[in-house]
Amino acid sequence: MQTSGNLPYHLIAFIVVAIWGSTFISTKVLIAHGISPAQIFTIRFGIAYLLMLLVSHKQIFTKSLKDELLMVALGVTGGSAYFLTENEALRFSTATNVSLIVCSCPLFTMILYRLVFKNIRLSRRQMISTILAFVGMAVVVFNGRFVLHLSPVGDSLALAACLCWAFYSLLMKYATEHYSSTFITRKVFFYGLLTVLPYYLIDPHFPSFTQLTQPVVMYNLLFLGCIASMLCFLAWTWAIFHLGAIKTTNYVYVNPVTTIIFAAWILNEKITSFFMIGSVLIMIGLYLSNKKEQSTLERQLPV
């Protein structure tokens, strides 16, 4: 497939990551209003699932038990486990550590593909572009302060979140070849919600109706549920189908860039020269990854 023909899907992947970068602001606002990260996840996925039912409700189950278990795994790795480990990591470790580890998931995705598909060789361009984008992302995250404050618990949770998204990308490779994007996205939301319920046995609290109906809370929850979850997960699945998991996942490196841009715009945080240098490295890495020739790794993937 030619890059020019895939341009709309690259644009979609970029826009999705840009929107996900802005969710940091919404989540911060909601936490300030007394809503916990687990509650935010439950509500945003609940809204997204109800919306998906309107567009995908004819087929309830997959074609086999194996495929249904695949959907459960997608709901866990791309939903409950990913969001809970990422948010809990922030309680024990610094935002810099968590961002650096979680946003390195494209690198882990590439390694996972190599481990799972033994007969596949990584192309030199794919390795160079991914590592270059990773270095750029690290420069953006550190922002000139090259100090890591190690936290075994927090950093382990962040690594778990990173691996969750890497496995999610790997599993999505199979799912998109057998089911539609709308069906997969609906199942991810359903099993994400179902598997987060045990969390409430530990912490049974939930926001009151008064909290949820505050305009600022309601608007941010609708943004997270309707746009950042429903539309973005659907678009992300669609992009993976057309571009492959590795090329699509590489756009995750843009996440810290968009987060800083939104923070500068809304929270008046300063944009530094390190941000500019790191952003250029990320863009060069993405350019190399998405040049005309399809990567050796993607071409050799079995159907």
Side-chain angles (χ1 to χ4, degrees):
M1 289 183 290
Q2 299 295 311
T3 301
S4 57
N6 287 333
L7 184 59
Y9 310 116
H10 287 290
L11 185 60
I12 286 169
F14 180 85
I15 291 172
V16 167
V17 170
I19 292 172
W20 281 342
S22 73
T23 60
F24 161 78
I25 308 297
S26 290
T27 301
K28 192 171 183 179
V29 169
L30 291 170
I31 290 174
H33 282 77
I35 302 176
S36 73
Q39 293 165 353
I40 294 170
F41 166 78
T42 305
I43 296 169
R44 67 182 281 185
F45 261 47
I47 293 171
Y49 178 67
L50 292 176
L51 290 174
M52 285 305 304
L53 278 177
L54 298 176
V55 297
S56 173
H57 53 266
K58 292 183 179 179
Q59 183 180 357
I60 302 300
F61 298 106
T62 55
K63 301 169 186 176
S64 66
L65 177 59
K66 177 185 174 183
D67 287 357
E68 196 67 29
L69 291 175
L70 171 67
M71 297 300 169
V72 175
L74 286 171
V76 172
T77 55
S80 56
Y82 171 76
F83 281 96
L84 288 179
T85 51
E86 182 185 45
N87 290 324
E88 287 298 314
L90 289 168
R91 293 177 55 194
F92 301 96
S93 187
T94 63
T96 299
N97 285 33
V98 174
S99 181
L100 179 66
I101 295 170
V102 171
C103 288
S104 64
C105 71
L107 196 59
F108 283 91
T109 301
M110 187 174 67
I111 294 169
L112 270 177
Y113 265 74
R114 181 64 184 89
L115 292 174
V116 172
F117 302 108
K118 303 284 187 182
N119 60 325
I120 294 172
R121 291 182 304 168
L122 299 175
S123 71
R124 184 177 299 177
R125 176 183 294 170
Q126 194 70 36
M127 289 190 289
I128 292 173
S129 62
T130 300
I131 293 171
L132 187 61
F134 172 78
V135 171
M137 181 273 298
V139 172
V140 170
V141 170
F142 281 121
N143 196 27
R145 298 181 297 273
F146 297 96
V147 179
L148 275 175
H149 301 282
L150 298 180
S151 168
V153 175
D155 295 345
S156 296
L157 286 169
L159 179 60
C162 173
L163 291 174
C164 277
W165 196 259
F167 276 107
Y168 176 76
S169 302
L170 185 70
L171 294 171
M172 192 62 76
K173 162 68 181 168
Y174 175 85
T176 54
E177 291 171 353
H178 296 81
Y179 297 95
S180 69
S181 298
T182 52
F183 179 76
I184 295 169
T185 306
R186 194 196 78 211
K187 298 294 279 188
V188 168
F189 291 146
F190 174 77
Y191 283 117
L193 285 169
L194 192 65
T195 54
V196 81
L197 293 180
Y199 177 87
Y200 289 98
L201 296 176
I202 303 170
D203 184 6
H205 300 95
F206 207 73
S208 65
F209 180 77
T210 304
Q211 278 181 290
L212 295 177
T213 51
Q214 294 178 66
V216 65
V217 171
M218 193 162 51
Y219 294 151
N220 280 284
L221 285 174
L222 287 173
F223 166 71
L224 291 175
C226 300
I227 299 175
S229 293
M230 189 265 195
L231 289 179
C232 284
F233 269 78
L234 184 59
W236 191 254
T237 304
W238 193 41
I240 286 178
F241 174 75
H242 289 281
L243 299 177
I246 294 176
K247 285 189 177 183
T248 307
T249 306
N250 270 349
Y251 279 95
V252 170
Y253 286 134
V254 181
N255 199 304
V257 176
T258 56
T259 298
I260 290 175
I261 290 174
F262 278 104
W265 177 31
I266 298 173
L267 302 178
N268 295 319
E269 294 188 6
K270 186 180 179 181
I271 290 180
T272 67
S273 57
F274 290 98
F275 168 82
M276 302 301 294
I277 294 169
S279 298
V280 169
L281 290 174
I282 291 170
M283 293 308 169
I284 293 173
L286 290 174
Y287 170 75
L288 291 175
S289 174
N290 297 323
K291 286 193 76 173
K292 267 192 175 183
E293 300 90 348
Q294 194 178 14
S295 71
T296 302
L297 180 57
E298 293 282 4
R299 284 200 306 269
Q300 294 176 352
L301 283 175
V303 176

